[in-house]
């Protein structure tokens, strides 16, 4: 499946998801027989594709330390000698190059910028490639949702999502889980009258019916439909305020109330 193309001449970068576990996606980028994988929680599906396609693994990009994102790193690095890039602040040990906000990673002839996006975990980073129009954001921003707060505060996550929301609207969002259907059910509880959201629900249902991934989405679609990026909207603030009177104070409080609501939805 070709989901993105590189403008200009030369071989294209192809980006496609490898399903893993219950609902994870390991993202695989390929160009001229060389591969980069993002968050390989399991080595088996990656090794299968590399073997079948006679592909070489150049690099492994890690967004955060959870086992379903790093479980395959050691086996892949050992089998292919790939360099492992990951967060400077990560407790995960098997990282060759530790990255901070503003650092750049050059793979497959493209530069990726590192964004620090704490909240789901404290070490969480995202990889953004402007020319490719692609963001790999792990468990921070999901299609129509966001990651749970396992380590960081609501304020940290809100700041991280606000940073991501400033990226160009046509940026494709490659998140690490297929959670879209459940996320849309929650989003509709927050904003039942959002027509973009109603359309998205129908499109998502049809996509899942065909057995296809609902990701990547785009920043533009997320800003139109994802309640966690819409805390400035009066309708979202009002819905958050019905859960928690403090939520009316500012956008950050509204976000915290939505996140707490989603936890028990
Ligand atoms: Zn995680």
């Amino acid at each position: 499946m070709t989901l993105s193309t590189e403008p200009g001449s030369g071989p294209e970068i192809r980006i496609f998801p490898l399903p893993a576990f219950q609902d994870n996606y390991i993202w695989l980028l390929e160009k001229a027989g060389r591969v980069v994988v993002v968050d390989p929680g399991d080595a088996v599906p990656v090794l299968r594709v590399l073997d079948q396609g006679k592909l070489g693994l150049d690099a492994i990009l890690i967004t955060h330390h959870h086992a379903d994102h790093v479980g395959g790193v050691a086996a892949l690095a050992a089998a292919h000698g790939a360099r492992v890039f990951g967060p400077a602040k990560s407790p995960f040990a098997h990282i060759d190059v530790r990255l901070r906000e503003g650092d750049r990673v050059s793979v497959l002839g493209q530069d990726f910028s590192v964004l620090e996006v704490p909240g789901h975990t404290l070490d969480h980073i995202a990889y953004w490639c402007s020319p490719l129009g692609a963001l790999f954001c792990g468990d921070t921003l999901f299609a129509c949702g966001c990651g749970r707060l396992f380590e960081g505060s609501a304020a940290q996550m809100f700041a991280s999502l606000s940073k991501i929301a400033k990226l160009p609207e046509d940026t494709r969002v490659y998140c690490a889980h297929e959670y879209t259907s459940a996320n849309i059910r929650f989003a509709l509880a927050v904003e039942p009258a959002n027509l973009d959201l109603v359309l998205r629900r129908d499109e998502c249902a049809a996509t899942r019916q065909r057995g296809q991934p609902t990701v990547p989405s785009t920043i533009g679609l997320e800003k139109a439909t994802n309640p966690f990026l819409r805390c400035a909207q009066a309708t979202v603030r009002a819905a958050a305020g019905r859960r928690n009177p403090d939520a009316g104070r500012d956008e950050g409080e509204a976000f915290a109330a939505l996140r707490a609501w989603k936890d028990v939805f």
Side-chain angles (χ1 to χ4, degrees), residues 85-261:
F85 296 84
K89 295 168 184 166
S90 187
F92 182 61
H94 199 133
I95 296 174
D96 301 316
V97 183
R98 291 185 170 264
L99 303 164
R100 294 183 181 279
E101 174 80 23
D103 284 347
R104 284 175 176 272
V105 177
S106 186
V107 289
L108 303 179
Q110 294 284 354
D111 272 352
F112 288 76
S113 304
V114 174
L115 311 176
E116 289 184 347
V117 287
H120 176 69
T121 61
L122 290 175
D123 68 338
H124 209 305
I125 60 174
Y127 299 86
W128 173 50
C129 180
S130 172
L132 210 52
L135 174 77
F136 295 90
C137 56
D139 291 353
T140 297
L141 177 64
F142 288 130
C144 220
C146 73
R148 279 177 188 264
L149 304 177
F150 284 113
E151 296 175 7
S153 65
Q156 280 176 314
M157 187 60 139
F158 181 67
S160 295
L161 292 173
S162 301
K163 186 189 287 187
I164 288 173
K166 292 195 184 84
L167 298 178
E169 298 220 335
D170 59 358
T171 305
R172 285 181 302 279
V173 178
Y174 296 88
C175 62
H177 287 274
E178 180 60 63
Y179 288 159
T180 317
S181 301
N183 286 342
I184 288 175
R185 277 197 294 281
F186 175 73
L188 279 166
V190 178
E191 286 192 288
N194 181 334
L195 286 182
D196 290 320
L197 188 53
V198 172
L199 284 174
R200 189 175 191 183
R201 175 194 60 195
D202 296 345
E203 279 169 19
C204 173
T207 303
R208 295 308 289 156
Q209 201 102 53
R210 294 192 299 270
Q212 293 175 346
T214 61
V215 291
S217 66
T218 63
I219 294 290
L221 179 60
E222 294 310 318
K223 283 163 75 171
T225 57
N226 186 329
F228 296 103
L229 297 188
R230 295 173 55 77
C231 295
Q233 301 292 320
T235 47
V236 175
R237 294 272 284 275
R242 288 193 288 277
R243 300 291 302 186
N244 179 347
D246 287 344
R249 282 210 304 255
D250 62 34
E251 286 178 50
E253 296 290 346
F255 171 81
L258 286 185
R259 188 55 263 181
W261 179 8

